[in-house]
Structure formats: structure tokens, C-alpha cells
């Protein structure tokens, strides 16, 4: 409990004891009123104060006003114990609510634990701890066993196992060795690592995740907007209704004034909308928190709402369903030797971030001499072009060769073919192949089991490769040889097939597909391999790059929405019932306050269920 909550607890206990004393003391008249006013003041002064202050600010109708009006009214008609009790119970409810909000905030804050405190740099007199923000790109840092990795980088020396659970929800440690990328926020478990920093702190994985989580609350779901608007209209209407209830029956029926005022006050007590106002955002908050513990970052409650009704899932191939790590399976040079062809291709690729580029550089296995390469550019969906030793070298697919007017010849190997041409002369091709991710098939099966109507793959790769992968994974549809703009067109066509109540999700790695990510109803990006652009453009990020996490994300989204709906229906139904009963004079203030606080507590407890993570279906 926080200090504030502890103080409230003390006030509740004090007021409760004083209340008990006032109730048993044999007092009457003014003395009795005074005896009850003491516990009333102890427990209710802040509510009264806020009500008065809000009136001064022109925001009359809120729950403070409702409570103040109801209890002052009860005091005025001589129902002293009721007045104190309503206030007391209201505060118990508030305390419970603030405790619940804190708990779910803490569960998200445990994610915040990934914020590193320091980075070790080597100096002449040993290791020195500095603020991670002070470390520049290119600097080397040391991470001892047990320490958190403060910045993204590449391992220079040492081997170790990393605990990535906080980021990815994955409990198996990841082995790293020199040359491997490490991301900030993981914990170094076993060995000493020397890491060269590749990103400044503000751009590091940790900072980006923290930003994301901190801003998640600001993107509200439709249900949340509904509740805010609802509360704005609801309270004034309730107050008007209460006034009518107090005034009209005595004028037109046999009901006496005292009786009707009592009914109106009960009516006010029950009408407090706290259960809805707090439990709906709390459910979304819980859902986002639960998802992030499973390594699924959701940028706002609204995306959970959309994700829950996914009908069509569209996947990118390379890096999304496949590992994005290519092995060279054949080198077929035309006018040079194999080594030269690979070298040219690798040099041309050296400025690109595409998985193909990284794999070709890896296969070549040398450090590129950057002085030989100028004007390198990536031609998205086709390949790359660069000037190497004064020759214009192009490396890429059939489309690229046609664009530059080079005659190429196909290869009998099945695989992604990278053709290479220099100064308009065809030099041959390199065939590379990628492997599907281990959980890709399971991902498609799980999606279908969860009611997704159609799964589609869009790829820029050649038709045979695309079709082979689609058949292997059991996808419903595949479209190959697409440029990034064609992918947008395909998604737009698919969007037309979505029913009005459904949604389309696009899952990509962000390389060449940021436009599609933002065009889909909900864009899902692979986080660890994925580019920064993907994480910017996506609405949901799967931190461990596993496509199977999507089905889990949908399950979390659906559960969160079920909880939200349960709370709205339950709270409204109980309220309505007690409102009618109190309007008819069948409920007293004790029952009214139980209904109000009871509903809040149950709704909040239900909302907190959203935090737990459903198992992978
Ligand atoms: P996908 O849709 O499968 O993710 P991309 O849109 O990234 O694929 O790329 C489509 C195709 O364009 C690749 O299959 C490849 O033939 C070619 N290509 C893209 N980038 C490169 C590159 N850097 N080097 C060679 N070929 C490339
Ligand atoms: Mg791709």
C-alpha cells in the first residue's frame, strides 16, 4: 500500500470506531447529530471539499457531488447513521479501487524494470559506471554476469546466455557469442560480455518499449470513450431524476415529503457510476499489461478491440513466416568465377538491411571495404544497386533485371534467385533459400482454430518459392512477385472481403511493408528482427518474432473484451434494478450503498482478471 492508501485506511478505521461509538451512545437531538458529525467529517471532508471545489470550477456533476448531496440530504432529514455509513462505504470502495489500479500499474511497471541504471565502460583505472544515455554509438561496454544489458549492440568478446523473459515472455535463455546482436533490457546470465553499442539510448529497444507502454493508455478503446461520454451525461440526468423523484410524488400522490426525499437520496447513492468508470479502463489496462508479459506489446486499448474481431490475417513471407536467414544453395556465374560473383553481390548489398543482404554478406564472410562501394541504394521489393569499383552493379530479382533491360536466365533450383549484373551485362545468379519458422505452421493452425476465416501470404519473392511455403504451412491464399505498393493493393482488395463486424490484420517484419502495416485494420510487426519503421508503423509488436504469438494476442484481446462487456452489462443491470427499487421506495439507503460499492468491487475484481495471460491456444 502507498502512504496515501495507508492514511485512508486509518481514516476508515477511526471513523468506523467513532461511528460505532455514536451509534451505541444514548444521545438524542443536537447531541446525537454532533456525535455522528464527527465520524462523518473524519471520513468525508475530502469528498465534500472536492464537490465544493468542482462546483467553483463549473464541473458540478461528478461522483463527489452525488455523494455530498446524498449524505448532506440524509443528515438534513435526520438519517444520521445512514449518512455516515454511505460516506464510509464509499471511501472503502475508493480505497479498493486505488489499490486495484496500483496493482495493475505495478504489473506493467515490472516491465519498467527493464530500464537499466548504468552501463560499464572500460577506463584506464578499471571499469566505470556511467549513465546509459552518455554512451555513444560505437563505444564498447562491459556487461558482467547478472547485469542488465543497458544498450543495444553487437557482442565483441565473450559468450553467455541471456534471459530475455522481460521482453519476450520467453523463458528459455538465449545463447550469444561474438558477432551476435544483443538487445537492451535482457539480463546477462552467465558470462562476461564486451559489447559494441549500435544504438544510442533514446533509440534503444528499452527506451522504445517504455515509450510504447507509457503511451498505451492514451489510445483509448471505443468502449472507454463510450464510458467517458456516458458518465458526462449520466450524472446530470440522475440528479434531475432525483429532484423529480423528491418533488413530484408529494405534489401528485399520497407519498409524503420525507418519504419521497428519502427515496430520492437512495436513488442518488445507487446512481454513482464508479463501477463502470473505473472498471472498463482497468480491464483494458490489464489486458495490455498481460499481453506485454507474454512479449506482445499493444499500443492501445483500441487495438485490442480490433484484434478481437480478426477475420482475415495477411502475412508477409520473408522474416515473418520464414526465418529471414538465407543459405546459399547454388552460385551460377556466367562470365566470372563463383567467388567474384558472391563478392560483387555482397558488396552491392552492404548498405541494405534486408535479410537477403545480411545473408549474402554472411555467406561471403569478409568485412566489406566501403571505399570500393558508392551510391548504394535499396530498390524495395526488387533488390539493390551500387557503384562498385566504378561499375554499376545491380543485384536482385527478375523484375529488377527486366527494369534495367538485362537478359537473365532462370535457374532449375527452387529458391530465391538473386541475379547479378554489372554495367548492363548479366554475370549470373546466386540461389538462396530460407527456412520457415519453427512455429509458423502451428501459428496458422491456431489462428484457424480460433475462428480466423482466411489466412493469406503476400510476398515479393518468386511464385514457386511463395507457393511452396504456402503449401507447407496450409495458408489459404498466396500472392507472389509483389512490390510494396502491390501489397497495399492486395490488402485493400482483401479489406473489401471483411465483414462489417470483422477486421483484417497484417503481420510483417517491417522491411518493405511499413505502408501495409498502417493500411490494415491492425498492423502487427515482428519486434526483435523487425525494423524501426515496423515498430513505428505497427499497432502491435511481437517481441520474440514468433508468428504463433498472434493467436495468443487474439485470445488476450477477446478475453479482455469479454470482461469489459461483462462489467458493463452487470453494473448497468444491478444499478437499474436498485434504481427502480429505490424510486419505488423498496430499497433503503443501506441497501443502496451496498449495491453501489458491491458492484464496484465485483467489477474491479473482474477487471483484474484481464491481467493474467491465457495459455497459448
Ligand atoms: P517479402 O515480401 O517476401 O518479405 P520483399 O518484399 O522484402 O520480400 O522482397 C521481395 C523480393 O525482392 C525478394 O524475394 C528478392 O527477390 C528481392 N529483393 C528484395 N531486396 C533484395 C536485396 N536486398 N537483395 C536482393 N534481392 C532483393
Ligand atoms: Mg519482408
Amino acid at each position: 500500500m502507498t502512504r496515501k492508501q495507508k492514511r485512508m485506511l486509518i481514516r476508515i478505521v477511526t471513523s468506523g470506531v467513532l461511528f460505532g461509538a455514536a451509534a451505541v451512545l444514548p444521545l438524542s437531538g443536537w447531541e446525537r447529530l454532533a456525535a455522528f458529525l464527527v465520524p462523518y467529517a473524519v471520513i468525508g471532508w475530502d469528498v465534500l471539499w472536492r464537490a465544493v471545489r468542482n462546483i467553483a470550477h463549473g464541473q458540478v456533476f461528478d461522483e463527489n457531488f452525488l455523494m455530498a448531496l446524498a449524505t448532506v440530504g440524509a443528515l438534513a432529514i435526520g438519517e444520521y447513521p445512514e449518512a455516515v455509513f454511505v460516506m464510509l462505504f464509499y471511501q472503502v470502495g475508493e480505497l479498493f479501487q486505488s489499490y486495484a489500479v496500483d496493482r495493475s500499474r505495478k504489473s506493467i511497471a515490472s516491465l519498467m524494470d527493464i530500464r537499466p541504471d548504468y552501463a560499464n565502460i572500460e577506463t584506464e583505472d578499471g571499469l566505470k559506471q556511467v549513465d546509459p544515455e552518455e554512451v555513444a554509438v560505437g563505444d564498447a561496454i562491459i556487461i558482467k554476469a547478472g547485469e542488465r544489458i543497458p544498450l543495444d549492440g553487437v557482442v565483441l568478446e565473450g559468450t553467455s546466455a541471456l534471459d530475455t523473459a522481460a521482453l519476450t515472455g520467453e523463458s528459455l535463455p538465449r545463447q550469444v557469442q561474438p558477432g551476435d546482436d544483443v538487445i537492451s533490457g535482457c539480463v546477462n546470465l552467465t558470462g562476461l560480455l564486451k559489447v559494441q553499442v549500435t544504438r544510442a539510448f533514446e533509440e534503444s529497444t528499452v527506451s522504445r518499449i517504455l515509450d510504447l507502454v507509457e503511451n498505451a493508455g492514451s489510445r483509448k478503446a471505443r468502449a472507454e470513450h463510450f464510458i467517458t461520454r456516458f458518465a458526462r451525461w449520466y450524472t446530470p440526468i440522475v440528479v434531475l431524476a432525483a429532484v423529480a423523484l423528491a418533488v413530484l410524488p408529494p405534489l401528485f400522490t399520497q407519498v409524503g415529503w420525507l418519504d419521497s426525499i428519502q427515496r430520492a437520496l437512495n436513488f442518488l447513492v445507487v446512481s454513482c457510476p464508479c463501477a463502470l468508470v473505473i472498471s472498463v479502463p482497468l480491464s483494458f489496462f490489464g489486458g495490455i499489461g498481460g499481453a506485454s508479459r507474454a512479449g506482445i506489446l499493444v499500443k492501445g486499448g483500441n487495438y485490442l478491440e480490433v484484434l478481437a474481431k480478426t477475420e482475415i490475417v495477411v502475412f508477409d513471407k520473408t522474416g515473418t513466416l520464414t526465418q529471414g536467414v538465407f543459405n546459399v544453395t547454388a552460385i551460377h556465374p556466367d562470365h566470372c568465377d563463383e567467388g567474384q560473383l558472391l563478392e560483387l553481390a555482397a558488396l552491392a548489398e552492404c548498405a541494405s538491411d534486408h535479410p537477403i543482404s545480411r545473408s549474402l554478406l554472411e555467406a561471403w564472410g569478409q568485412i566489406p571495404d566501403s571505399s570500393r562501394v558508392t551510391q548504394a541504394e535499396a530498390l524495395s521489393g526488387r533488390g539493390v544497386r551500387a557503384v562498385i569499383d566504378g561499375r554499376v552493379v545491380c543485384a536482385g530479382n527478375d523484375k529488377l533485371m527486366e527494369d534495367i533491360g538485362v537478359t537473365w536466365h532462370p535457374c532449375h533450383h527452387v529458391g530465391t534467385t538473386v541475379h547479378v549484373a554489372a554495367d548492363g551485362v548479366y554475370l549470373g545468379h546466386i540461389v538462396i533459400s530460407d527456412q520457415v519458422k519453427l512455429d509458423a505452421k502451428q501459428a496458422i493452425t491456431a489462428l484457424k482454430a480460433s475462428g480466423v476465416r482466411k489466412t493469406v501470404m503476400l510476398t515479393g519473392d518468386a511464385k514457386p518459392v511463395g507457393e511452396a511455403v504456402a503449401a507447407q504451412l496450409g495458408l489459404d491464399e498466396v500472392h507472389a512477385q509483389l512490390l510494396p505498393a502491390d501489397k497495399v493493393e492486395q490488402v485493400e482488395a482483401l479489406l473489401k472481403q471483411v465483414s462489417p463486424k470483422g477486421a483484417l490484420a497484417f503481420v510483417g517484419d517491417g522491411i518493405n511493408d511499413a505502408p501495409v502495416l498502417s493500411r490494415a485494420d491492425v498492423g502487427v510487426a515482428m519486434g526483435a528482427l523487425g525494423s524501426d519503421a515496423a515498430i513505428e508503423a505497427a499497432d502491435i509488436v511481437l517481441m520474440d518474432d514468433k508468428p504463433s504469438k498472434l493467436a495468443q494476442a487474439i485470445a488476450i484481446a477477446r478475453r479482455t473484451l469479454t470482461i469489459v462487456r461483462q462489467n458493463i452489462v452487470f453494473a448497468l443491470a444491478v444499478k437499474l434494478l436498485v434504481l427502480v427499487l429505490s424510486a419505488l421506495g423498496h430499497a433503503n439507503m443501506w441497501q443502496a450503498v451496498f449495491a453501489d460499492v458491491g458492484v464496484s468491487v465485483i467489477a474491479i475484481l473482474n477487471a483484474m482478471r484481464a491481467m493474467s495471460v491465457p495459455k497459448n491456444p
Side-chain angles (χ1 to χ4, degrees):
M1 267 200 202
T2 64
R3 290 247 302 279
K4 208 170 143 207
Q5 287 166 348
K6 277 199 193 117
R7 244 182 292 147
M8 181 50 87
L9 189 63
I10 293 174
R11 269 173 68 196
I12 288 172
V13 172
T14 316
S15 166
V17 170
L18 290 170
F19 176 52
V24 294
L25 283 180
L27 299 171
S28 60
W30 285 106
E31 287 164 356
R32 185 156 178 269
L33 173 61
F36 277 110
L37 274 181
V38 177
Y40 179 73
V42 168
I43 198 66
W45 63 267
D46 52 343
V47 174
L48 295 176
W49 168 239
R50 281 197 296 266
V52 171
R53 202 187 46 192
N54 288 348
I55 292 175
H57 290 168
Q59 298 168 313
V60 179
F61 298 112
D62 66 350
E63 55 198 55
N64 294 304
F65 180 74
L66 284 181
M67 284 300 136
L69 190 64
T71 54
V72 170
L75 289 174
I77 59 169
E79 297 198 325
Y80 309 147
E82 282 86 347
V84 179
F85 189 73
V86 165
M87 210 43 123
L88 196 62
F89 224 62
Y90 172 72
Q91 295 282 36
V92 170
E94 291 287 290
L95 176 64
F96 182 74
Q97 162 183 322
S98 101
Y99 184 69
V101 171
D102 264 18
R103 260 207 49 188
S104 61
R105 200 166 279 153
K106 268 203 201 101
S107 102
I108 291 191
S110 70
L111 246 187
M112 303 290 173
D113 270 357
I114 59 177
R115 190 189 293 282
D117 303 323
Y118 61 88
N120 297 317
I121 52 170
E122 271 177 322
T123 61
E124 275 149 24
D125 26 59
L127 286 185
K128 202 178 124 201
Q129 293 188 351
V130 299
D131 196 318
E133 288 178 35
E134 288 169 23
V135 182
V137 173
D139 284 359
I141 55 173
I142 302 289
I143 302 138
K144 290 185 270 190
E147 287 183 332
R148 196 169 286 284
I149 296 175
L151 294 134
D152 297 357
V154 184
V155 178
L156 293 175
E157 290 167 23
T159 55
S160 182
L162 302 185
D163 174 1
T164 64
L167 298 175
T168 63
E170 174 67 59
S171 51
L172 271 182
R174 187 166 82 93
Q175 301 297 326
V176 290
Q177 56 187 39
D180 286 347
D181 286 331
V182 292
I183 53 177
S184 48
C186 304
V187 177
N188 181 12
L189 292 176
T190 49
L192 186 84
L193 289 177
K194 184 169 181 180
V195 166
Q196 182 173 33
V197 175
T198 51
R199 279 199 200 129
F201 184 69
E202 301 80 66
E203 282 135 39
S204 68
T205 307
V206 157
S207 304
R208 288 209 317 254
I209 292 178
L210 291 179
D211 270 5
L212 239 161
V213 175
E214 276 160 15
N215 293 323
S218 61
R219 303 190 203 208
K220 291 220 166 26
R222 275 226 320 277
E224 283 176 89
H225 282 303
F226 162 74
I227 291 303
T228 324
R229 251 178 308 151
F230 173 80
R232 205 178 302 141
W233 284 101
Y234 174 81
T235 320
I237 290 175
V238 160
V239 172
L240 274 181
V243 170
L245 203 58
V247 177
L248 296 182
L251 292 182
F252 299 106
T253 66
Q254 299 296 313
V255 180
W257 279 100
L258 196 65
D259 211 18
S260 74
I261 290 178
Q262 230 165 15
R263 286 185 197 178
L265 293 176
N266 292 351
F267 186 84
L268 279 179
V269 173
V270 222
S271 60
C272 183
C274 355
L276 287 176
V277 169
I278 183 67
S279 75
V280 170
L282 192 67
S283 308
F284 280 110
F285 206 59
I288 293 174
S292 56
R293 272 190 291 157
I296 303 162
L297 297 183
V298 182
K299 287 194 184 170
N302 50 342
Y303 303 120
L304 283 182
E305 224 164 25
V306 183
L307 195 63
K309 48 184 195 181
T310 307
E311 266 179 10
I312 300 185
V313 179
V314 183
F315 290 94
D316 172 55
K317 180 179 74 77
T318 315
T320 304
L321 288 174
T322 66
Q323 292 173 348
V325 181
F326 293 84
N327 290 318
V328 173
T329 48
I331 304 181
H332 297 152
D334 268 18
H335 302 291
C336 54
D337 68 34
E338 292 188 358
Q340 281 171 330
L341 189 67
L342 186 58
E343 181 183 68
L344 266 189
L347 284 174
E349 300 277 5
C350 71
S352 160
D353 221 12
H354 198 276
I356 293 183
S357 314
R358 277 186 263 159
S359 306
L360 283 178
L361 277 163
E362 180 111 334
W364 181 49
Q366 296 179 36
I367 307 290
D369 173 3
S370 52
S371 66
R372 292 175 61 189
V373 188
T374 53
Q375 299 171 30
E377 60 177 319
L379 310 164
S380 63
R382 288 175 299 165
V384 290
R385 175 173 49 216
V387 178
I388 299 166
D389 304 331
R391 293 198 294 170
V392 179
V393 178
C394 291
N397 54 17
D398 313 358
K399 273 208 178 96
L400 179 63
M401 292 300 117
E402 271 148 31
D403 285 355
I404 59 171
V406 166
T407 33
W408 50 277
H409 49 84
C411 188
H412 57 277
H413 283 273
V414 177
T416 305
T417 313
V418 180
H419 300 286
V420 184
D423 284 338
V425 178
Y426 190 60
L427 295 184
H429 51 244
I430 301 172
V431 184
I432 53 182
S433 65
D434 192 1
Q435 266 168 358
V436 299
K437 286 188 184 166
L438 291 176
D439 67 328
K441 193 171 170 83
Q442 182 209 336
I444 307 296
T445 321
L447 284 176
K448 290 203 171 140
S450 78
V452 168
R453 192 155 53 85
K454 194 176 206 178
T455 51
V456 182
M457 183 171 88
L458 302 181
T459 177
D461 211 340
K463 227 179 172 144
V465 184
E467 275 165 4
V469 173
Q472 188 183 348
L473 298 181
L475 288 149
D476 299 323
E477 221 177 283
V478 53
H479 301 273
Q481 281 171 318
L482 303 172
L483 293 178
D486 304 331
K487 289 188 186 174
V488 177
E489 249 170 55
Q490 289 288 348
V491 163
E492 276 172 355
L494 286 164
L495 275 169
K496 294 205 182 94
Q497 299 176 16
V498 177
S499 75
K501 276 198 186 142
L504 179 146
F506 180 83
V507 192
D509 63 349
I511 295 170
N512 299 345
D513 53 22
V516 213
L517 277 174
S518 36
R519 185 65 191 82
D521 293 325
V522 53
V524 183
M526 297 291 153
L529 246 184
S531 67
D532 296 358
I535 298 182
E536 294 296 314
D539 308 317
I540 292 175
V541 182
L542 307 178
M543 284 308 293
D544 57 1
D545 287 0
K546 283 193 181 153
S548 58
K549 281 278 169 77
L550 184 66
Q552 196 182 5
I554 292 179
I556 292 176
R558 287 198 181 145
R559 210 166 72 116
T560 307
L561 269 116
T562 308
I563 291 174
V564 167
R565 254 177 252 132
Q566 282 167 352
N567 277 346
I568 292 182
V569 170
F570 168 68
L572 285 184
V574 176
K575 290 255 138 132
L576 205 67
L577 182 73
V578 187
L579 277 179
V580 170
L581 286 181
S582 56
L584 295 178
H586 293 311
N588 62 27
M589 207 174 248
W590 301 90
Q591 288 159 343
V593 73
F594 265 119
D596 176 46
V597 177
V599 170
S600 296
V601 168
I602 293 174
I604 289 170
L605 284 177
N606 193 28
M608 290 180 79
R609 282 195 314 131
M611 258 195 296
S612 65
V613 188
K615 281 270 165 293
N616 215 344

